[in-house]
Each structure stands twice: as C-alpha cells, then as structure tokens.
Amino acid sequence: RLKDLEVPKLGDSDVHVKMLAAPINPADINMIQGTYPLLSPLPAVGGNEGVGEVLEVGSRVTALRPGDWVIPADAGLGTWRTRGVFPEELLLKVPGDIPVLCAATLSVNPCTAFRVLADFESLAPGDSVIQNAANSGVGQAVIQIARASGIRTINVVRDRPDLPKLVERLMALGADHVVTEEMLRKPEMKDIFKSTPRPRLALNCVGGKSTTEMLRHLQPKGTMVTYGGMAKQPVMVPVSAFIFRDVRLRGFWMTQWRKEHAQDQQSVAAMMDALCQLIRRGQLTAPACTQIPLQDYRTALEASMKPFVSSKQILLL
C-alpha cells in the first residue's frame, strides 16, 4: 500500500533524505513474498536500493551535508519512499555528477558484478568469462566492467521473440559473444573457442539445466560462482566435472560481503570509486530502465515480475 506517514524527528546522528529514484530488483520482490534470507521487521518499507539527496543533518553528522547524494550502505533500508530519516552510518555518499539512474542502481548489481569478477579468479586482459542471464542488471554490468578491463564475455540468454534486438543491445554494451541456452549444447560452440579462450570463470544466476550446460565450457580448475537462482532449480554438476576437471563451485551474496567488510571502509570506498570512474568515462551505464511515478507502483511491480523483461522498473520519488 501507498501510505502517508510523518517523517520522524531528526536525531543528532541522523540524516534527513529526500529520495530521488529507486529500482525494483528481484530480491525486493522476494522480501515482500517473505522468501528472502533477510526480512525487515513489519510493518516495513520496500526497496533495498536507490539514491536520495540530503536535506538536513543532525549536529553530530560529519561526513554528509545538505545537497549530497547518498545511497544505502546495506540492504533493508526501505527506499520506496519520498522522504526518510536515517542514521548516518546507514548511508554512503556518492558523487552528484553521475546520472541519477546510475546512482539509483549502483549499490546492488554493479557491486555484485565488480566483486564476482575480482574475487574468485585472477583474470587478465584476454581471458574470458561465461555468464547466463546476461541481460539482467548484473549481466549488463559484467559485460561493461569486463570490456573496460580487456576481458572477453560469452553471454547466455533465453531464446525469445525479440532475440535479435536483445543481441544487438548486449553487443552495443561490449559483449563479445551472445548465445542462447539451446546453443550451449550445439557443436557450433567450438567456433567461439577458436577466437576466444575457454573461460576460467562462469557466473550463474539461473540454476538448473542452463548451469550444467555452461559448466561444460569451463576450463579445468575453473570456478563457477552462483549469485542467483532465477529458474528456482538446483545446480546439477556431473561427477566427471569434479573428478577430471577439478572445477570449483562457489556462492556470492552482496549483502554478506557488505557485512564482512563493514569495518573495512577502504575496500568499499575503492569499489565505489572504481565504479563511479567507469560511469564518468561512459564505460558503465545504468541498465535499460522504465521510469514510473511512485503512485503507479502496482504497474511497476507487475511489470518487474513478467518473464523476458529486459527493462528495470525504476520508481521516481
């Protein structure tokens, strides 16, 4: 429901924020459904991501001032609102010279893409990565961050009516190859590996058959990182992949990474700085977005749950 609430009184360590824009991500929907590992105490405001402008700060707030742009430092902030009063430590300052949609979609997908590319394999220019759900928010960020680092991407998408249009869009972002899940099983995949080395890293956001097929193309001793499960099916791995190719299976959850690095502000700052630099240079753009006023939130929620949606719904606040 859309409700009118009083804005709480500003405490000494609090920040009064006017929200500007907030996306609808799959994890937000899962939280509303009660199926996500992190659930806010009810009654709760939805939304884990977004950008706002500081209106006023408490007397003890040192790092922020009115006019600054801020994003959530962690999940569960409740960003689908016009105003909010939050403790200073729950907010991260971001530069005000990046596009508002980039700032609104910065803290979840680009950060996930950045970490999965950096933390599991030491990739060098010329190496390759294979990923499914390549048209997702993380997938689009992986393509662009990899391209900026000289890493090639093999991008797997589901077959769909407007496939040529989607392929064109991903190639324009910097994808090296775009294939459908069906193509993963075909002998023609060998042609890709004439010009591109077999990947040392596979990124899985789907699960089920798509993952098993993707794993076949991974180099021996390669790593597959699972960060999502859109198909709601388990990851199936042939025993031979473990024994004869010694592949590694890992998991990644951005919320957990933030918890583990809560005291390591240097790592967080370095990541945000690197992403903002890419945005400024035009090497990292916001995912394809549909902007919807907050009062039409029902339309936005319904649209975000439709299959084959390649556009992220963004609530304008």
Side-chain angles (χ1 to χ4, degrees), residues 114 145 268-281 283-284:
F114 186 90
I145 296 167
V268 178
M271 171 175 68
M272 299 314 278
D273 191 45
L275 291 170
C276 289
Q277 294 284 10
L278 289 172
I279 291 167
R280 283 197 195 97
R281 291 201 293 263
Q283 292 176 304
L284 178 62

Side-chain angles (χ1 to χ4, degrees), residues 35-47:
T35 58
Y36 202 63
L38 179 85
L39 298 175
S40 301
L42 298 172
V45 178

Side-chain angles (χ1 to χ4, degrees), residues 42-64:
L42 298 172
V45 178
N48 288 296
E49 188 178 35
V51 63
E53 183 186 331
V54 174
L55 293 179
E56 199 185 346
V57 299
S59 56
R60 289 202 194 137
V61 173
T62 54
L64 297 169

Side-chain angles (χ1 to χ4, degrees), residues 93-167:
K93 183 177 168 179
V94 291
D97 64 347
I98 60 174
V100 71
L101 293 182
C102 287
T105 54
L106 182 60
S107 65
V108 177
N109 294 334
C111 289
T112 298
F114 186 90
R115 297 261 58 102
V116 294
L117 285 169
D119 292 354
F120 296 92
E121 287 282 341
S122 303
L123 298 171
D127 284 343
S128 79
V129 171
I130 189 167
Q131 64 165 346
N132 55 22
N135 58 310
S136 66
V138 172
Q140 292 176 58
V142 163
I143 290 169
Q144 295 174 85
I145 296 167
R147 166 51 65 99
S149 314
I151 294 158
R152 301 170 73 81
T153 55
I154 302 160
N155 301 280
V156 186
V157 296
R158 285 185 296 175
D159 202 1
R160 63 193 65 215
D162 62 345
L163 184 66
K165 213 156 126 194
L166 176 62
V167 171

Side-chain angles (χ1 to χ4, degrees), residues 183-296:
M183 265 185 71
L184 277 178
R185 289 166 218 150
K186 298 200 167 145
E188 292 90 293
M189 278 299 288
K190 287 199 182 85
D191 295 342
I192 286 179
F193 300 120
K194 285 174 186 166
S195 62
T196 299
R198 281 191 180 271
R200 299 210 338 253
L201 181 66
L203 305 175
N204 168 44
C205 177
V206 178
K209 203 175 266 182
S210 159
T211 312
T212 313
E213 296 298 338
M214 199 164 61
L215 204 61
R216 290 183 203 285
H217 302 294
L218 202 57
Q219 269 189 37
K221 293 193 185 298
T223 304
M224 184 171 79
V225 181
T226 294
Y227 67 91
M230 302 303 270
K232 296 187 167 58
Q233 290 165 352
V235 169
M236 309 287 273
V237 182
V239 170
S240 59
F242 280 129
I243 299 173
F244 303 118
R245 292 179 32 241
D246 190 17
V247 297
R248 289 142 224 262
L249 266 62
R250 300 287 305 273
F252 181 79
W253 186 29
M254 194 64 220
T255 301
Q256 187 62 34
W257 187 92
R258 287 191 194 283
K259 272 199 189 78
E260 288 166 4
H261 293 79
Q263 304 310 314
D264 178 12
Q265 282 312 303
Q266 211 174 342
S267 289
V268 178
M271 171 175 68
M272 299 314 278
D273 191 45
L275 291 170
C276 289
Q277 294 284 10
L278 289 172
I279 291 167
R280 283 197 195 97
R281 291 201 293 263
Q283 292 176 304
L284 178 62
T285 57
C289 292
T290 303
Q291 300 176 51
I292 306 239
L294 180 61
Q295 56 268 32
D296 298 335

